[in-house]
Amino acid sequence: MPLNITEKLIKSHLVEGEMVTGKEIGLKIDQTLTQDATGTMVMLELEAMGVERAQTEASAQYVDHNIIQVDNKNADDHLFLQSATRRFGLYYSRPGNGVSHPVHMQRLAKPGKTLLGSDSHTCANGCMGMLAMGAGGMDVALAIAGEPIYIKMPKVWGIKLTGKLPDWVSAKDVILELLRRHDVKGGVGKVIEYYGPGLDQLSAMDRHVIANMGAELGATGTVFPSDEEIRRFLKEQGREEDWVELTADIDASYDIEEEINLSKLEPLIAKPSSPGNVVPVSEVAGTPIYQSYIGSSANPGYRDFAVAAEIVKGKTVANGISFDINPTSRQMLTDLVKESHIASLLQAGARLHQAGCNGCIGMGQAPATGRNSLRTTPRNFPGRSGTQEDSVYLCSPETAAVSALKGEITDPRTLKIPYPKSKEPENPTVDTSLLDEPLPYEEAKKVELHKGPNIASIPPMDALPDELDLPVLLKMDDNISTDEILAGGARVLPYRSNLPEISKFAFEIIDKTYYTRGMDSVTTGGHAIVGGFNYGQGSSREHAALAPRFLGLRVALAKDFARIHWQNLVNFGVLPLTFVNEEDYDQIEQGDILQLNDLRKKVQQSSEFTINVKGKNVSIQVSHALSQRQVDVILQGGLINLVKERLKKVSSIEK
Ligand code: MIC
């Protein structure tokens, strides 16, 4: 049977289950990626599980998120991560080396392989002909230990690219077009696979831009072929031997088919505060801006900076504009310096920041109150920039650069200059000096973990009780993102390795009293929360499941869930339930008490059961979508308990 690329990747890595849409499958993972904000927890999980050494072909730990060091915390975490990578046999990419996704693409990505990363934008490396997926830290820790990842067999959504991008329209507009058509839930349960003649015009880095924001559609992954362009990219990186061709069979088909005619696209922009809120730039032209921000894994390429540099060359940005340039890898920054693009940007009034995620996750560059920020980043969820009532727009580097010159949102096609076609450098820099190789095992096993005072181990978690009376501490609307559940930003991120401390920030964007009410619920048996559609969209941060769990969350009841957050809830023993009848959402109010009786038996015996609302004479039919494996995880109170039990059994058999 002819196969598409996604099916080929899944088939060659399938270790459990059948390739039937919606059914759970287990996939072998060849490579992993962790970044510092999620990686500290992953390393603590490896320690807690007693893992000796990474079992993958390559696992890399990047330091790119928490790189502003205002006190000891982030710096201590960096040292901890360095010691852990030395201990467990991982690559270590030091602070300043760049954002995980483009650096991984440059140095380690390999066509035909699987990659699992504790960052939702891991799908970016699907541009290399890989099945690259974001996951919670615990799943990545298990993959490092050699375990498969379990996902629901996705549908494959084939997108045929035809035509040719017009001037002033670039890769970012392609993915914004898909978000305009399908919004932030459009990719749930699907891998997006791109094919067709339009690909010829898209460089490997352009494909990275498109693949990266598959996360904003909620997709399981994004896949591109590994063709001559990927060979060229790998050759340029001194790794041509890592290239293999990977294309769909001639008669391959897709579960869903769609076409984007690139010739018909125009500059697009996502308005505050959702990446799915997309309109043509011309519709909001004239809106004043305070900041124009270039960089992040959503526009990481050399050309993304070079094109902006060419646009502003010899001009000055409008008075009062903060024009923030955030290079994404040190290799690329070196070339942008060599080719004088950085000089053009600086002379136009730019502020140059170190290579890393920076303001994309609110680590610096937070906008002023009540001002509009225009960014090439992937997300604009409320408060993510670090400013509570923020107003962030997402666009291409062309739109960001032209708008910086004008001081207001501007359709770049209206600038009366020829469209700059930036040339890639002939021999791009290859620099591995800040990427430490894994230590040989004999040396690695002697390494001690270096734990600073801010690092706290994960507290024990109890099994699922049989009877629960749970007050609903929060009732929320649709599309609640993990940024609202547990914010990022410079204030909160330094506590990623300290669960009791980071829990103080849980849901603070939605309700500042949640922390105290949650803490109180711990002594009375815990609490529940209620959400709308797409609950937990956005990042892979498992802290968004762990912190509420630490504060007594036992049940999350929603209309439906985003993939990674749903899996994270299960991994930490929070039971995710959905309404069988969506209208029942209206029957529950904040403060109601949900009664769950005989719960352990019900969860095991059926995927549907009834819960009662105390004192209201209301019964609600709920369902769970857990596999048998996940039912066991929930009953034990989370994966850590399950793995510990398993290890105990193994060691008693060995004795
Ligand atoms: C993000 O873009 O939201 C992040 C920050 O990279 C997260 C990971 C995190 O919260 O640490 C992600 O995308 O998964």
Side-chain angles (χ1 to χ4, degrees), residues 162-227:
T162 56
K164 217 167 158 310
L165 285 172
D167 284 355
W168 301 102
V169 179
S170 60
K172 185 64 157 286
D173 299 302
V174 179
I175 189 66
L176 286 174
E177 168 65 9
L178 216 50
L179 278 152
R180 188 186 69 77
R181 292 186 193 179
H182 300 284
D183 209 349
V184 289
K185 263 185 69 172
V188 174
K190 300 168 193 134
V191 169
I192 312 171
E193 181 170 322
Y194 292 88
Y195 67 101
L199 278 180
D200 296 348
Q201 201 203 339
L202 298 173
S203 71
M205 272 297 178
D206 290 337
R207 298 175 192 187
H208 181 121
V209 170
I210 297 171
N212 180 78
M213 283 182 69
E216 277 50 62
L217 285 149
T220 306
T222 306
V223 167
F224 278 88
S226 170
D227 55 11

Side-chain angles (χ1 to χ4, degrees), residues 73 362-363 386 388 487-495 505 508-509:
K73 293 188 199 69
M363 186 54 75
Q388 260 212 346
R491 252 173 356 114
V492 186
L493 284 169
Y495 296 105
F505 301 91
E508 66 160 17
I509 293 179

